[in-house]
Amino acid sequence: MNRYEGKTEEEAVNKALADLGLTDKKELNYQVISTKTNIFGTTVTIGIYSINDVIVFADDYIKRCLKCLGIEGSTEAKYEDGIIKLNIVTQHNRSVIGRNGDTLRSINELTRSVCFNRFGGHYRILLNCDGYKENKYYKFSVIAKRTANEVSRTHVTAVLDPMTSDERRIIHQVLADYPNIRTQSLGTGHKRHVTIQWVGDEDNAQVTETEKAE
């Protein structure tokens, strides 16, 4: 992480922009590392980071989590479609995944939180182990299609169980082109879920941008 100092945050940012040959602050990923004041004035230090810095940090954090759990394993990391994808390779898959994926989900949430605290931004991080996510996505795809067919027949809105953001995204994607079917995410936190609704031809709407971005 490169560091720049200035009497103010703006001055430090401008120094970084000039050094990196950038013109727009929005192109800069940075965080304020420290603000110190003494008899000579105030000095603000910012750190400039890239998505690769975030990936390396997340990857290292997961390895430390495994060590704390007493689990031997390695990790594979890549950045794809705006998502940091981290795969755990171990002989102890059940211990890493946990009951109904609870352990894997907890490590995922912790990793996202520490990255936010470290870099000050929200990152889409997807943790996987032994193809668990792919199997889960397939099951949700089957459920989504079956439920959509039932909603098309009865015109009664279906409310699915709470899911993680990546799981909800699968539901939205699978049903995006279903005629007269609209999906919508409702609720907050761990209670956020997807509803599958029937809409008439005159009201047939596409999934909102918010839902697409989940």
Side-chain angles (χ1 to χ4, degrees):
M1 180 185 290
N2 296 325
R3 302 189 178 202
Y4 295 88
E5 295 183 349
K7 295 180 180 179
T8 63
E9 179 181 333
E10 183 179 4
E11 182 178 311
V13 168
N14 287 336
K15 285 183 179 180
L17 289 173
D19 186 49
L20 298 173
L22 302 174
T23 58
D24 192 341
K25 180 180 177 180
K26 294 180 180 179
E27 299 178 79
L28 207 61
N29 294 316
Y30 77 93
Q31 67 174 143
V32 176
I33 296 176
S34 66
T35 301
K36 299 179 181 179
T37 302
N38 53 36
I39 59 174
F40 301 106
T42 300
T43 300
V44 177
T45 302
I46 65 171
I48 307 300
Y49 60 89
S50 66
I51 192 63
N52 188 62
D53 293 321
V54 181
I55 293 172
V56 170
F57 181 82
D59 187 67
D60 180 67
Y61 179 77
I62 291 171
K63 289 176 180 175
R64 286 187 280 133
C65 284
L66 294 177
K67 186 176 181 179
C68 289
L69 292 171
I71 296 174
E72 293 184 3
S74 60
T75 56
E76 301 168 341
K78 64 179 179 180
Y79 187 62
E80 188 176 66
D81 300 326
I83 304 173
I84 298 174
K85 298 183 177 181
L86 298 150
N87 184 53
I88 296 175
V89 181
T90 178
Q91 297 297 318
H92 308 280
N93 296 321
R94 289 187 178 180
S95 297
V96 171
I97 295 171
R99 185 178 180 181
N100 296 322
D102 286 346
T103 302
L104 190 67
R105 186 182 306 110
S106 295
I107 298 175
N108 203 143
E109 292 178 356
L110 284 171
T111 304
R112 188 183 296 113
S113 294
V114 297
C115 285
F116 172 77
N117 291 334
R118 179 67 176 84
F119 298 100
H122 293 282
Y123 303 95
R124 292 169 64 184
I125 298 175
L126 182 61
L127 189 57
N128 200 2
C129 180
D130 193 34
Y132 175 78
K133 281 296 184 179
E134 288 81 1
N135 293 332
K136 198 81 176 284
Y137 292 160
Y138 173 75
K139 292 178 182 179
F140 278 130
S141 296
V142 172
I143 291 173
K145 293 175 182 178
R146 183 172 65 238
T147 305
N149 289 334
E150 182 67 14
V151 171
S152 294
R153 184 180 66 83
T154 64
H155 298 179
V156 176
T157 296
V159 180
L160 302 184
D161 291 334
M163 303 176 187
T164 59
S165 60
D166 59 297
E167 293 165 353
R168 295 194 302 272
R169 193 179 307 117
I170 291 298
I171 303 296
H172 294 313
Q173 291 174 349
V174 168
L175 301 181
D177 297 323
Y178 260 58
N180 300 105
I181 288 293
R182 178 174 61 194
T183 59
Q184 184 177 15
S185 289
L186 299 172
T188 59
H190 295 296
K191 295 183 179 181
R192 194 159 175 79
H193 59 277
V194 176
T195 61
I196 300 177
Q197 310 163 14
W198 185 88
V199 292
D201 290 329
E202 68 279 4
D203 298 320
N204 198 5
Q206 299 297 319
V207 176
T208 66
E209 291 301 319
T210 299
E211 290 162 353
K212 286 180 181 179
E214 280 196 316

